[in-house]
Amino acid sequence: MTNQLESLATYTTIVADTGDFEAISKLQPTDATTNPSLILKATQDERYRPLLTEVIKKHPDANTEELLDHLLVLFGSKILEVVPGRVSTEVDARLSFDSSATVRRARRLTELYKAAGIDTQRVLIKIAATWEGIQAAQQLEQEGIHCNLTLLFSLPQAVACAQANVKLISPFVGRIYDWHKKQAGADWDESAKSGPNDPGVQSVTTIFNYYKKFGISTEIMGASFRNIGQIQALAGCDLLTISPDLLQQLSDNNDPLAQTLDAKQAQSMDIDELTLDEASFRFLLNEDAMATEKLAEGIRNFVADAIKLDKLIESAR
């Protein structure tokens, strides 16, 4: 009998959202994504702590920033041993508003992957979808370094990424859901806001339909899920990056799963096209309280975990 994970794989490329490559090996996704929070969690796991020791031993003269990049690339390389596709490795979130520094760090990560014998076409550099991050990604794409624009919560961010010809975007579902649920408070109706009515699902659906309507080649990878209902409602999205526990829930579910997003249907939809410059991007993002708040919050959280990783590295030296 076909389970929902197997059914989903016929419509959508499945990506594991974790730094736990043992879990990745078990669930056999196509790709994998990481971020500072996931690497921090994995490094604190006794199974993976030796990787940090290995990095410090191999690079005794490296500073903390350089050791962090070596650690990220080592995790990415290990993940690529168990997935057939790509891994996403994130640039330090502290550089989210500095295009030139983001470009330099992305180049360094790419060179480290090359030095490890990794085909860099199997690597996506993750960058926060700020205006500065998107401009950095545009330059990197022109250099052949493919990017995954993350912390994406709105259509204007998605459109700006498309204009920059980035390889892939990661619109967040669960964090949008979280914001709307918190705003509604006691008035939140979970049953009425589930499945296709979930605000996070609706955001990704809007981006998917826009991209397919206008023939945009940038890949869409739905991310940040709170439950399998959000995943089920996005069957047919280009890619979905899913945590191991939700992957397991899908694997354990044998109910039928139908495709919900359809590129051909989107092509016939009546959708207005957007053209953005920096001023219009910033204005439209500012008009969206949810996107503005969640982008800022996401960067702060990733920065906090990057600082914790720095301290973990320094204490291990």
Side-chain angles (χ1 to χ4, degrees), residues 162 165 207-220 238 263 266-268 271 273:
N165 294 314
I207 292 168
F208 178 90
N209 290 335
Y210 184 96
Y211 272 27
K212 303 313 175 186
K213 168 70 175 182
F214 296 108
I216 294 165
S217 61
T218 298
E219 300 169 40
I220 305 164
D238 299 336
Q267 291 166 9
S268 62
I271 301 173
E273 189 169 11

Side-chain angles (χ1 to χ4, degrees), residues 39-45 49 52 56 64 71 306-317:
I39 296 298
L40 175 64
K41 181 180 179 181
T43 306
Q44 292 171 326
D45 188 319
R49 191 61 179 265
L52 175 57
I56 293 170
T64 302
L71 182 63
I307 292 171
K308 290 177 184 176
L309 263 174
D310 284 352
K311 291 179 180 178
L312 188 65
I313 291 168
E314 289 163 3
S315 67
R317 300 191 74 159

Side-chain angles (χ1 to χ4, degrees), residues 253-316:
N253 190 329
N254 292 319
D255 293 339
L257 178 65
Q259 181 175 352
T260 52
L261 300 187
D262 189 314
K264 289 184 178 179
Q265 288 183 3
Q267 291 166 9
S268 62
M269 292 180 180
D270 185 14
I271 301 173
D272 292 331
E273 189 169 11
L274 282 175
T275 302
L276 300 175
D277 57 13
E278 181 178 356
S280 56
F281 172 88
R282 293 191 185 280
F283 177 79
L284 290 174
L285 186 60
N286 188 69
E287 286 290 284
D288 188 333
M290 176 277 297
T292 299
E293 292 172 20
K294 296 309 287 186
L295 173 60
E297 178 187 74
I299 291 171
R300 287 194 299 270
N301 289 342
F302 282 161
V303 167
D305 282 340
I307 292 171
K308 290 177 184 176
L309 263 174
D310 284 352
K311 291 179 180 178
L312 188 65
I313 291 168
E314 289 163 3
S315 67

Side-chain angles (χ1 to χ4, degrees), residues 1-8 10 250-251 253-256:
M1 182 180 293
T2 302
N3 62 50
Q4 287 201 346
L5 185 59
E6 293 167 337
S7 295
L8 182 64
T10 66
L250 289 165
S251 181
N253 190 329
N254 292 319
D255 293 339

Side-chain angles (χ1 to χ4, degrees), residues 16-76:
D17 192 13
T18 181
D20 182 347
F21 40 84
E22 289 184 16
I24 294 169
S25 180
K26 176 184 175 183
L27 292 162
Q28 299 183 320
T30 301
D31 293 356
T33 59
T34 63
N35 61 44
S37 303
L38 294 173
I39 296 298
L40 175 64
K41 181 180 179 181
T43 306
Q44 292 171 326
D45 188 319
E46 288 302 318
R47 294 174 298 166
Y48 302 127
R49 191 61 179 265
L51 295 182
L52 175 57
T53 304
E54 177 183 337
V55 163
I56 293 170
K57 185 177 180 180
K58 284 186 175 180
H59 308 282
D61 298 324
N63 61 33
T64 302
E65 179 184 291
E66 292 165 343
L67 287 173
L68 175 58
D69 284 351
H70 281 292
L71 182 63
L72 295 175
V73 170
L74 180 57
F75 264 95

Side-chain angles (χ1 to χ4, degrees), residues 72-291:
L72 295 175
V73 170
L74 180 57
F75 264 95
S77 299
K78 293 290 187 182
I79 288 169
L80 287 174
E81 292 177 5
V82 295
V83 299
R86 303 170 295 189
V87 68
S88 291
T89 296
E90 192 146 353
V91 168
D92 194 323
R94 287 168 283 195
L95 306 179
S96 296
F97 301 100
D98 188 332
S99 296
S100 58
T102 295
V103 168
R104 289 194 297 272
R105 199 69 170 268
R107 288 171 178 161
R108 186 165 78 192
L109 287 168
T110 303
E111 288 303 314
L112 290 176
Y113 271 112
K114 286 181 181 178
I118 301 296
D119 178 359
T120 55
Q121 293 302 301
R122 298 185 68 199
V123 176
L124 295 172
I125 301 298
K126 282 181 79 174
I127 301 169
T130 59
W131 178 258
E132 294 82 2
I134 295 168
Q135 303 317 299
Q138 182 173 34
Q139 181 174 340
L140 290 165
E141 291 285 355
Q142 291 170 353
E143 297 175 12
I145 298 173
H146 294 312
C147 300
N148 169 358
L149 272 288
T150 187
L151 295 175
L152 194 146
F153 302 96
S154 67
L155 181 62
Q157 287 175 289
V159 171
C161 289
Q163 291 178 182
N165 294 314
V166 304
K167 182 69 172 179
L168 181 146
I169 61 169
S170 295
F172 280 28
V173 177
R175 298 192 195 190
I176 295 175
Y177 162 89
D178 293 343
W179 188 91
H180 284 278
K181 185 175 181 178
K182 183 178 179 180
Q183 289 295 115
D187 294 330
W188 179 259
D189 185 337
E190 186 68 35
S191 61
K193 294 293 185 181
S194 63
N197 296 321
D198 183 299
V201 169
Q202 290 177 334
S203 178
V204 176
T205 299
T206 296
I207 292 168
F208 178 90
N209 290 335
Y210 184 96
Y211 272 27
K212 303 313 175 186
K213 168 70 175 182
F214 296 108
I216 294 165
S217 61
T218 298
E219 300 169 40
I220 305 164
M221 181 170 70
S224 169
F225 294 104
R226 299 292 179 258
N227 54 68
I228 62 170
Q230 294 171 335
I231 298 166
Q232 293 161 344
L234 291 172
C237 192
D238 299 336
L239 307 95
L240 297 174
T241 181
I242 307 168
S243 63
D245 62 323
L246 293 179
L247 286 171
Q248 189 63 56
Q249 287 182 41
L250 289 165
S251 181
D252 293 339
N253 190 329
N254 292 319
D255 293 339
L257 178 65
Q259 181 175 352
T260 52
L261 300 187
D262 189 314
K264 289 184 178 179
Q265 288 183 3
Q267 291 166 9
S268 62
M269 292 180 180
D270 185 14
I271 301 173
D272 292 331
E273 189 169 11
L274 282 175
T275 302
L276 300 175
D277 57 13
E278 181 178 356
S280 56
F281 172 88
R282 293 191 185 280
F283 177 79
L284 290 174
L285 186 60
N286 188 69
E287 286 290 284
D288 188 333
M290 176 277 297

